[in-house]
Amino acid sequence: MRDPAAKCWQLLLVIGIASACSGSDARVVDDAALSDESRGEDWLAFGRTLNEQRFSPLQQIDTANVKDLKVDWFIDLPDKSGLVSTPLVSNGVLYFIGSMNRVRAVDATSGRLIWTYDPRVTEQAGDRMRVGWDHNRGIALWRDKVILATWDGRLIGVDAATGREQWSTMTVDPTKALYITGAPKVFKDKVIIGNGGTEQGATRGYVTAYDAATGKQAWRFYIVPGNPADGFENAAMEMAAKTWTGEWWKFGGGGNAWHGFTYDAELDRLYIGTGNGSPWNRKIRSPGGGDNLFLSSIVALNPDNGEYIWHYQTAPGESWDYNSNMDIVLADLPLGGRTVKAILHAPKNGFFYVIDRETGKLISADAFTTTTWATSIDSVTGRPNENPAARYEHGSAIVIPGPVGAHNWHAMSFNPQTGLAYYPAIHMSYTFSDSGIDLATWKSPIWKRGTGTAAASATSGAGSSRSDGVVGSLQAWDPVRRKLAWEVPLDGFWNPGTMTSAGNLVFQGRADGNFVAYDATSGAELWRFNVGSGISAPPITYSVAGRQYVALLVGWGGAGAAIGGPLIAAHGWAYGAQPRRLIAFSLNGTAVLPPSPPPVVVSPLPAREFGVNALLAEQGRVEFAERCGGCHGGGAMSGGITPDLRASGVVLSETGFADVVRGGSRVSSGMPAYRQITDDKLLALRHYIRQRAEAALTKPPK
Ligand code: CA
């Protein structure tokens, strides 16, 4: 009993080349393969198949035997930055994108390296390193190619057998602060990608489809209207412009689509999850009000030409970074005596949406965490019943959820057998304020952060929004009964995504370094394994030669890790302290993981002789928040994807600090060069960082 994948694996073992797997009995990755739910051997797409359910029909590993799951193989990875991506498996080869956007192909039964492709992003990214991160959530497989998108905005086709570059297309204007962390998605010989950058400039979001064979542009859809004086690209933009006021185009408008794209093969439609406003503050970008289409929406497009079909907006007049970029999962639900072709969507704003994907009409929306910005979603109009105070009209307002959301990009899975959706929820409040900001003269930032709200990290002033103090949980949501089926409180708020299987299991890594399997029906914990480092990537499962594997990347990362601060730093995943790995588990595993260094909370460097000047430190505070805090952490407390500057000796040295920040001596590690920065600003930054170090030395944070 040998299936084609098994034969392929044997060939691979004997002759040692991956091209053995492109033989006649190997499966071609095309629309039919990407839609085939029945075949559990492979994990061909970001969400396993086109419906994005992350549900595997494999059942060798089940609720009875998962307690025996052991490490089958692992590989150590040489990188220090975050690993957040979903690996793909085809014909016994596992492909994944890691730090610095390097893509690797490894033998899915041993981890043996077949090839590495390095897009050399730090040489290409330039100033883009100031506004984004190198972490990337995934790649696409299409026929003979692996397709990736890079930090600096390229979309690249690579030969799946050899790792050689076949085509490369720049998808962004390099003069704009746009970058890519998302996974390209393929459908009908095309590949779609968007970008991020809403908070770092006057950006106008768009998605573009390219020919998957050549990288040639097929079509582009803008998410928000441009200047009416330039004419509208299409009727949808003309319609959208009626929902904007003032001179929004001067601020770009935003709406950047950086994550959720789903192709619906049944209805032949493409769904795009769109981003928040640029800037966040609607009083600036659209001062006369308005819904501001197509911000924070799901937009259905014709996959052949990018023409608008329908939209559903989750946060009209968005003002809280409540984007709708999260996963768009397709499921058939038994509702009202019929089967509804539904979209399941749990965006940042805290409501779980069920949308009829034939019409774009709301079926239900229910809060899965506390939501103070809106009490409910009107089932007739589909609009939120808003709390007017949430729009910080008179200074500041404490709002739930905060800008990291009630759910972020971390993968949501759906199990058609239990009827439940599984995702990590976040329970935090945030203080929004535009006190001290001149709304009439505010200008979009250039190559730095600016949201039209008071400069603060995404978790500042934030705390748990629950009486039990929990900031994160794993939730199992029943979209038919419209309520939680079960919930598991978790440590920290930045917990990764899930995978579910026909073995009636849900797998989830955790921010605290535990990889856990649950009973999909009850939520009972059935197995856990401590991987010795923070997990930010979702797991997958696949099968080769009759053995089911569960695999995931281990490497703390993503924007939540980047923003740092006490809640994140408390995990102890300090920069470079713990190893980055790819680990595969099976019921027959015999590999032994070397022990990881324990979690470590960084100790600031004592240097009282530096002599902090409070006035200089205050100048440095603003500079740090706009330029440095997005990677080195709010309040100069790193979340672990960068060095904690409070512990850095470089900060003590005028020439050493200038060499790194202005001279660009660490560009290859991802630290951008600020060639134009003045001596005064360098000095102010050093005083701010030292002030934060001294404050922590005097009174360590709880
Ligand atoms: Ca945003």
Side-chain angles (χ1 to χ4, degrees):
M1 288 292 286
R2 291 282 182 184
D3 62 14
K7 268 189 267 177
C8 174
W9 151 236
Q10 287 181 316
L11 271 170
L12 193 69
L13 185 72
V14 173
I15 61 177
I17 54 167
S19 54
C21 293
S22 57
S24 58
D25 57 359
R27 171 139 117 166
V28 176
V29 183
D30 55 14
D31 282 306
L34 288 168
S35 301
D36 183 354
E37 307 300 330
S38 70
R39 188 178 155 111
E41 288 91 328
D42 296 332
W43 188 290
L44 296 181
F46 185 73
R48 200 183 84 83
T49 58
L50 290 176
N51 64 21
E52 303 283 336
Q53 289 183 357
R54 290 175 181 263
F55 169 77
S56 168
L58 295 179
Q59 43 190 323
Q60 185 178 84
I61 301 168
D62 61 22
T63 52
N65 62 23
V66 69
K67 65 181 188 322
D68 298 322
L69 204 58
K70 296 180 188 70
V71 177
D72 193 288
W73 58 264
F74 69 93
I75 51 174
D76 281 347
L77 296 164
D79 313 302
K80 290 178 179 169
S81 49
L83 297 171
V84 303
S85 74
T86 299
L88 303 183
V89 175
S90 174
N91 297 313
V93 179
L94 184 150
Y95 306 85
F96 69 98
I97 187 165
S99 302
M100 298 301 170
N101 299 169
R102 281 187 281 265
V103 179
R104 292 177 174 86
V106 302
D107 183 323
T109 66
S110 69
R112 189 182 59 81
L113 184 68
I114 298 168
W115 55 255
T116 301
Y117 169 75
D118 184 356
R120 307 176 79 89
V121 287
T122 59
E123 294 167 27
Q124 304 285 330
D127 286 346
R128 220 152 285 123
M129 279 192 270
R130 300 181 185 188
V131 296
W133 299 276
D134 75 302
H135 56 234
N136 185 286
R137 292 182 296 276
I139 51 179
L141 291 177
W142 183 248
R143 300 192 185 278
D144 61 344
K145 289 182 185 61
V146 174
I147 301 174
L148 66 142
T150 64
W151 193 359
D152 53 281
R154 285 170 292 162
L155 188 69
I156 299 172
V158 168
D159 186 311
T162 64
R164 289 198 192 97
E165 184 175 310
Q166 298 199 325
W167 54 259
S168 175
T169 301
M170 181 47 102
T171 71
V172 300
D173 175 347
T175 66
K176 297 219 159 70
L178 301 172
Y179 58 91
I180 302 177
T181 55
K185 302 283 179 74
V186 293
F187 57 95
K188 301 174 86 176
D189 288 308
K190 292 188 180 67
V191 53
I192 188 161
I193 194 69
N195 51 64
T198 323
E199 280 78 15
Q200 289 99 348
T203 63
R204 183 186 179 203
Y206 60 85
V207 291
T208 317
Y210 298 88
D211 183 315
T214 64
K216 192 167 168 287
Q217 182 172 325
W219 52 259
R220 176 166 289 179
F221 179 81
Y222 283 96
I223 291 160
V224 297
N227 186 346
D230 298 335
F232 297 110
E233 287 85 359
N234 50 50
M237 284 299 102
E238 193 170 359
M239 169 180 79
K242 296 190 174 99
T243 66
W244 292 74
T245 54
E247 298 178 306
W248 70 86
W249 56 91
K250 290 184 175 171
F251 307 98
N256 298 59
W258 50 264
H259 180 76
F261 317 122
T262 298
Y263 175 62
D264 180 341
E266 249 181 300
L267 299 180
D268 192 27
R269 284 171 186 174
L270 194 59
Y271 308 111
I272 308 296
T274 71
N276 54 280
S278 181
W280 292 357
N281 196 333
R282 187 182 63 171
K283 283 169 266 179
I284 294 172
R285 66 167 197 266
S286 187
D291 286 354
N292 294 182
L293 294 172
F294 296 103
L295 296 183
S296 305
S297 301
I298 293 176
V299 183
L301 300 176
N302 179 326
D304 299 324
N305 55 23
E307 280 178 10
Y308 165 92
I309 299 171
W310 58 251
H311 76 276
Y312 177 81
Q313 190 174 42
T314 56
E318 194 287 310
S319 296
W320 311 273
D321 195 15
Y322 285 169
N323 55 57
S324 236
N325 297 106
M326 288 69 230
D327 290 343
I328 299 167
V329 177
L330 310 185
D332 292 342
L333 298 184
L335 284 164
R338 65 184 185 111
T339 300
V340 173
K341 294 185 190 313
I343 282 173
L344 310 181
H345 185 54
K348 276 187 182 177
N349 75 21
F351 288 90
F352 192 104
Y353 292 84
V354 180
I355 296 164
D356 185 326
R357 63 187 203 255
E358 295 192 76
T359 62
K361 296 279 181 279
L362 178 70
I363 294 171
S364 64
D366 300 278
F368 59 89
T369 186
T370 303
T371 57
T372 63
W373 74 280
T375 52
S376 59
I377 309 295
D378 188 299
S379 60
V380 177
T381 65
R383 297 180 66 88
N385 292 310
E386 263 190 44
N387 169 9
R391 287 189 177 271
Y392 44 104
E393 293 291 345
H394 308 288
S396 68
I398 298 171
V399 181
I400 308 168
V404 292
H407 171 229
N408 211 291
W409 53 264
H410 298 109
M412 174 163 81
S413 62
F414 176 77
N415 188 323
Q417 297 176 355
T418 62
L420 302 177
Y422 310 95
Y423 54 90
I426 299 168
H427 312 280
M428 291 206 302
S429 60
Y430 180 84
T431 304
F432 287 89
S433 171
D434 57 14
S435 296
I437 291 175
D438 186 339
L439 302 177
T441 62
W442 191 89
K443 286 196 168 53
S444 294
I446 299 170
W447 298 110
K448 63 179 183 179
R449 186 179 169 84
T451 61
T453 64
S457 88
T459 56
S460 67
S464 172
S465 59
R466 292 176 29 149
S467 56
D468 60 6
V470 166
V471 291
S473 65
L474 170 62
Q475 294 190 336
W477 184 267
D478 187 327
V480 173
R481 292 181 182 81
R482 302 172 56 181
K483 61 179 188 181
L484 274 181
W486 51 263
E487 180 176 41
V488 177
L490 300 175
D491 188 15
F493 70 89
W494 196 243
N495 284 285
T498 66
M499 175 268 288
T500 184
S501 71
N504 205 39
L505 293 167
V506 176
F507 287 88
Q508 186 198 26
R510 289 177 170 182
D512 66 9
N514 283 298
F515 185 32
V516 183
Y518 303 90
D519 182 305
T521 306
S522 70
E525 181 178 319
L526 301 175
W527 171 84
R528 73 160 58 194
F529 184 91
N530 191 317
V531 299
S533 190
I535 304 169
S536 292
I540 63 163
T541 187
Y542 60 93
S543 168
V544 182
R547 180 179 293 195
Q548 184 183 354
Y549 297 84
V550 176
L552 90 168
L553 285 157
V554 174
W556 186 234
I563 60 180
L567 278 173
I568 289 289
H571 289 299
W573 312 125
Y575 184 65
Q578 289 89 13
R580 268 59 176 142
R581 289 186 169 126
L582 171 62
I583 308 178
F585 300 82
S586 78
L587 294 173
N588 307 93
T590 55
V592 178
L593 272 193
S596 276
V600 52
V601 176
V602 171
S603 302
L605 196 64
R608 196 59 57 82
E609 71 280 5
F610 182 89
V612 171
N613 176 310
L615 208 62
L616 285 173
E618 175 55 22
Q619 291 167 19
R621 183 184 66 81
V622 177
E623 195 71 14
F624 191 94
E626 291 178 346
R627 296 189 190 273
C628 317
C631 292
H632 285 284
M637 186 182 284
S638 170
I641 69 152
T642 53
D644 192 309
L645 300 180
R646 301 169 307 156
S648 169
V650 174
V651 177
L652 302 178
S653 159
E654 183 183 345
T655 53
F657 193 68
D659 186 44
V660 173
V661 180
R662 189 160 55 203
S665 63
R666 296 191 183 170
V667 165
S668 65
S669 303
M671 171 65 201
Y674 290 84
R675 304 274 180 208
Q676 313 298 326
I677 196 166
T678 62
D679 288 340
D680 289 352
K681 284 189 173 168
L682 286 172
L683 187 66
L685 282 171
R686 291 171 61 218
H687 278 266
Y688 173 68
I689 294 162
R690 285 310 309 166
Q691 185 189 59
R692 299 299 303 166
E694 295 297 342
L697 285 163
T698 311
K699 187 185 168 197
K702 291 191 192 103

